């Protein structure tokens, strides 16, 4: 039980620190910040895969599955938005104007 309280405490602390850090980042740096969150999502996927490789309870597997779904959604969405933003900075060719 004390491990669960400790993990919830770390989660709440990291949430508050992350909120204040991200709210103070200038908008110009949001794209590199988004790329960094994609890297963190990849680390989370590795953590879930390690969790699935060891014997665990049904509850732990369920939490891991939820984390895997959420982080996959974040990863795919982050790459999609980053790709869309990078296309905005490409120069348009003059012959392709509709």
């Amino acid at each position: 039980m004390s491990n669960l309280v400790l993990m919830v405490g770390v989660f709440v602390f990291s949430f508050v620190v992350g909120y204040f850090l991200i709210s103070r980042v200038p908008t110009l740096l949001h794209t590199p910040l988004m790329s960094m969150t994609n890297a963190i999502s990849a680390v989370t996927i590795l953590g879930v895969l390690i969790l699935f490789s060891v014997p665990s309870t049904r509850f732990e597997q369920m939490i891991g599955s939820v984390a895997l779904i959420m982080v996959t959604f974040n990863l795919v969405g982050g790459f999609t938005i980053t790709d869309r933003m990078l296309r905005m900075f490409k120069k348009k060719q003059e012959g392709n104007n509709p």
Side-chain angles (χ1 to χ4, degrees), residues 40-82:
I40 292 171
S41 296
V43 171
T44 306
I45 288 174
L46 288 177
V48 170
L49 292 178
I50 290 172
L51 175 70
F52 286 156
S53 68
V54 296
S56 55
T57 64
R58 178 72 74 192
F59 179 72
E60 292 168 341
Q61 292 175 350
M62 188 174 68
I63 294 295
S65 299
V66 170
L68 185 63
I69 291 168
M70 292 173 67
V71 80
T72 301
F73 180 76
N74 184 35
L75 193 66
V76 172
F79 276 117
T80 302
I81 291 173
T82 301

Side-chain angles (χ1 to χ4, degrees), residues 23-34:
S23 65
R24 291 194 167 88
V25 171
T27 55
L28 185 64
L29 297 176
H30 279 188
T31 301
L33 184 65
M34 191 176 299

Side-chain angles (χ1 to χ4, degrees), residues 81-93:
I81 291 173
T82 301
D83 183 54
R84 185 179 296 172
M85 291 177 74
L86 290 176
R87 274 190 268 148
M88 290 171 49
F89 293 108
K90 286 185 178 177
K91 292 183 179 179
K92 295 180 181 176
Q93 295 178 358

